[in-house]
Amino acid sequence: MSDQSCVYIKKEWDIVAARQMGRDIATKVGFGTVDQARIATAISELARNIYLYAGSGKICFEAIETVQKKGINIKAIDEGPGISDLAQVMEDGFSTSGGLGAGLPGVKRLMDEFDIVSKSGEGTTIESTKWLR
Amino acid sequence: MNTLRLDLENYRDLLAEYIRTKDERALYQAEQFSKQSMQQNISPEEIINVHLRSLQELYPELPDYILDSFDFLMETMMSYGLAYQEFQALREKQLELKSEISVAANMQKTLLSTTKPEIEGLDIGALSVPAKQMNGDYHHFVIDDEGSLGVAVADVIGKGVPAALCMSMIKYAMDSFPELRMDPKYILGSLNRVVERNVDSNMFITMMYGMYNTEDNTFSYASAGHEPGFYYHKERDEFEEISAPGLVLGVSPDSMYEQYQKQVDEGDMIVLLTDGVTECRKGDDFIEQEEILEVIREYKDLPSQEIVENVYKYFERLQDFQLRDDFTLIVLKRDV
């Protein structure tokens, strides 16, 4: 396990910094260009969610390595209003996607593992992992 | 043509062939490749990657700026891949919903089924066809303890699943009535209370309820805002509207209904229907009442069931076989 590195999201351009850091770590882990692009897109979505709905928060990255596999773990943490209906935001065609396939369901598709915990009034934590194949 | 393999080697060879020959055949193969990729859920960024790697193998000397441009392209294509995947997921969901609705429609058919009774001296024809899968029209026959025929025709304002659910309630309310003879006006009155209490205030049901007394050949009826029916006098060869004042079911808890009675002579005919019949359209125009009557008149000498089927076929064809509204038609004819 290596150390976590985080990017704070306060303004739109922080999304770029988060993408950059995520891509650097993904490259080090050994992801190819296609997966790098997917990871970067997932980071964009997570960071944009924080920027648009929570106002501020952070995205943390961790290169993970177990006996069998390597991967990248991304956590998006905010202390915003929280999501009251998780089933709804995870539903295709709903929310911010506007038929663009993005939003949280998009993140789930781009990554391998996806988990979300949210409490009304306290914030949201989304954790997602992609494994190197 | 041999089946295409979706691998790098195959793509590279096709690409090389195309660059060498500019041949349409290679382009056609690329089209096949694209279709198969979609079938196997291969996203655009993967195709771009395959393209880039093929180029690198074919032209090892390719300058960096060309290679880098593909990273840029890949990023711009990401959303297309995601949108496509979402589209696929939604399509699957839609198929699921469709099959659920068709199960529900079958269930509704069973729930709302009514048997057309056989009554000596009265020839009955009935047909109800939904515009979509679920029927928002309802008709029901019942024989009371004295052998008279009760007939209900109803239409929910609204279509589809909500309308169908609403109708199921009406059916159960009617089933719960005692088998004692009840006058149409009382039946409508008590159904009105059921609807008023149980259904959303923006959903209304219109109903015509009639009772044919087989002993004295009279037809009593009342209407809750329902489409007027028609009465055919054989002797005068004339149609007359059957209507009665009354509020649609569910508007006010204490609606009262008026009841009327007709003496039915031999060969006379009672036609009950829903607005799916009267609001048939020719292009953008509604048909005239005259046209409906003409069509009924044309088939009036056939057995009742054949009359309703022929009238239906006529209007189905008129509307290019696409019903706009649920269609229900009932004919009661006193045998000569």
Side-chain angles (χ1 to χ4, degrees):
Chain A
M1 290 263 183
S2 66
D3 293 330
Q4 266 196 358
S5 329
C6 298
V7 173
Y8 287 85
I9 308 292
K10 286 196 186 75
K11 45 191 194 300
E12 192 175 5
W13 287 110
D14 295 333
I15 298 172
V16 177
R19 283 176 58 109
Q20 184 64 61
M21 184 182 283
R23 191 186 293 273
D24 289 348
I25 293 169
T27 312
K28 274 190 207 133
V29 172
F31 283 105
T33 44
V34 174
D35 278 338
Q36 280 179 36
R38 287 175 181 157
I39 290 165
T41 306
I43 294 167
S44 282
E45 290 302 326
L46 292 171
R48 199 175 2 253
N49 267 347
I50 291 177
Y51 169 69
L52 289 176
Y53 303 110
S56 68
K58 60 180 177 178
I59 307 259
C60 298
F61 304 96
E62 198 180 344
I64 43 177
E65 191 167 352
T66 68
V67 186
Q68 297 100 349
K69 48 189 180 178
K70 294 200 310 185
I72 183 169
N73 177 270
I74 305 168
K75 274 199 194 80
I77 302 159
D78 71 59
E79 289 170 5
I83 300 164
S84 53
D85 190 346
L86 287 175
Q88 197 177 35
V89 296
M90 290 310 296
E91 196 179 315
D92 277 312
F94 172 78
S95 84
T96 50
S97 135
L100 297 179
L104 296 183
V107 175
K108 195 175 174 185
R109 286 205 179 89
L110 291 163
M111 304 289 286
D112 293 321
E113 283 167 26
F114 183 93
D115 188 32
I116 176 166
V117 179
S118 186
K119 228 175 176 174
S120 214
E122 290 180 24
T124 305
T125 300
I126 299 172
E127 187 171 354
S128 192
T129 304
K130 192 163 188 73
W131 297 108
L132 186 62
R133 258 171 268 274
Chain B
M1 194 169 296
N2 50 359
T3 45
L4 284 164
R5 282 163 302 129
L6 297 166
D7 53 32
L8 175 65
E9 202 185 324
N10 181 41
Y11 186 93
R12 186 198 60 207
D13 294 348
L14 270 179
L15 180 65
E17 184 192 329
Y18 175 70
I19 292 174
R20 196 179 63 246
T21 62
K22 302 280 187 299
D23 184 10
E24 192 64 36
R25 202 181 70 93
L27 288 181
Y28 177 68
Q29 301 242 30
E31 180 197 308
Q32 304 292 93
F33 186 92
S34 144
K35 281 181 184 151
Q36 289 190 18
S37 305
M38 285 177 103
Q39 273 168 1
Q40 301 187 20
N41 287 322
I42 293 178
S43 50
E45 67 269 18
E46 282 172 83
I47 299 221
I48 292 167
N49 190 45
V50 168
H51 185 82
L52 171 62
R53 285 163 62 199
S54 302
L55 274 184
Q56 282 174 309
E57 285 183 24
L58 294 171
Y59 306 98
E61 306 294 308
L62 225 49
D64 278 349
Y65 65 86
I66 297 282
L67 299 178
D68 292 344
S69 78
F70 280 91
D71 293 341
F72 196 83
L73 178 62
M74 195 179 291
E75 206 63 53
T76 40
M77 295 309 289
M78 285 303 295
S79 290
Y80 288 87
L82 279 180
Y84 178 67
Q85 283 180 29
E86 184 186 67
F87 165 77
Q88 288 288 23
L90 289 172
R91 213 174 70 128
E92 271 165 37
K93 217 188 250 175
Q94 190 193 27
L95 288 177
E96 229 170 79
L97 280 176
K98 261 198 168 162
S99 79
E100 263 178 48
I101 289 176
S102 91
V103 172
N106 273 329
M107 229 169 113
Q108 188 205 18
K109 247 188 206 158
T110 320
L111 283 174
L112 301 188
S113 63
T114 184
T115 350
K116 202 179 69 178
E118 297 290 331
I119 293 175
E120 212 181 298
L122 192 66
D123 177 18
I124 305 172
L127 182 76
S128 185
V129 186
K132 293 186 184 154
Q133 278 186 306
M134 306 279 276
N135 200 339
D137 282 0
Y138 173 59
H139 70 283
H140 184 71
F141 294 107
V142 62
I143 307 275
D144 69 22
D145 58 343
E146 291 170 55
S148 288
L149 169 76
V151 51
V153 187
D155 184 1
V156 184
I157 311 230
K159 270 183 237 161
V161 179
L165 285 173
C166 198
M167 269 315 171
S168 304
M169 190 193 62
I170 289 284
K171 149 93 177 178
Y172 283 105
M174 290 183 64
D175 277 353
S176 69
F177 290 150
E179 283 180 20
L180 297 171
R181 173 171 299 179
M182 268 170 85
D183 275 333
K185 61 180 176 185
Y186 294 130
I187 289 187
L188 290 184
S190 63
L191 282 177
N192 175 60
R193 285 189 293 277
V194 172
V195 176
E196 202 272 331
R197 263 184 303 211
N198 296 292
V199 181
D200 206 58
S201 60
N202 54 24
M203 194 171 262
F204 305 109
I205 301 171
T206 70
M207 182 183 278
M208 173 89 88
Y209 196 93
M211 193 180 62
Y212 190 94
N213 186 328
T214 42
E215 279 159 31
D216 60 4
N217 289 301
T218 53
F219 182 70
S220 336
Y221 59 94
S223 170
H226 195 75
E227 187 69 21
F230 302 107
Y231 188 91
Y232 175 72
H233 296 274
K234 184 181 169 61
E235 205 182 80
R236 283 183 272 152
D237 188 26
E238 265 174 22
F239 281 100
E240 174 193 335
E241 249 188 32
I242 305 178
S243 63
L247 269 180
V248 297
L249 302 177
V251 177
S252 147
D254 36 37
S255 296
M256 304 280 273
Y257 297 93
E258 284 178 48
Q259 184 169 320
Y260 297 84
Q261 197 177 56
K262 277 198 167 306
Q263 182 63 47
V264 183
D265 295 322
E266 283 187 2
D268 284 4
M269 197 159 72
I270 296 149
V271 180
L272 302 176
L273 36 73
T274 57
D275 60 8
V277 180
T278 45
E279 287 176 12
C280 279
R281 284 179 207 215
K282 253 194 289 196
D284 284 332
D285 299 323
F286 285 111
I287 53 163
E288 302 285 327
Q289 193 186 81
E290 284 307 306
E291 184 164 354
I292 299 171
L293 296 181
E294 264 169 46
V295 180
I296 296 173
R297 191 189 292 273
E298 193 183 327
Y299 298 114
K300 68 178 167 32
D301 297 323
L302 294 172
S304 297
Q305 191 59 35
E306 288 177 36
I307 299 178
V308 296
E309 278 163 20
N310 277 299
V311 172
Y312 172 68
K313 274 186 200 147
Y314 177 91
F315 287 113
E316 186 192 28
R317 198 172 144 215
L318 196 72
Q319 299 190 93
D320 296 327
F321 305 95
Q322 297 269 314
L323 288 188
R324 286 179 172 84
D325 196 0
D326 307 326
F327 182 107
T328 300
L329 185 62
I330 292 174
V331 167
L332 311 175
K333 185 155 65 162
R334 185 178 164 193
D335 286 336
V336 182

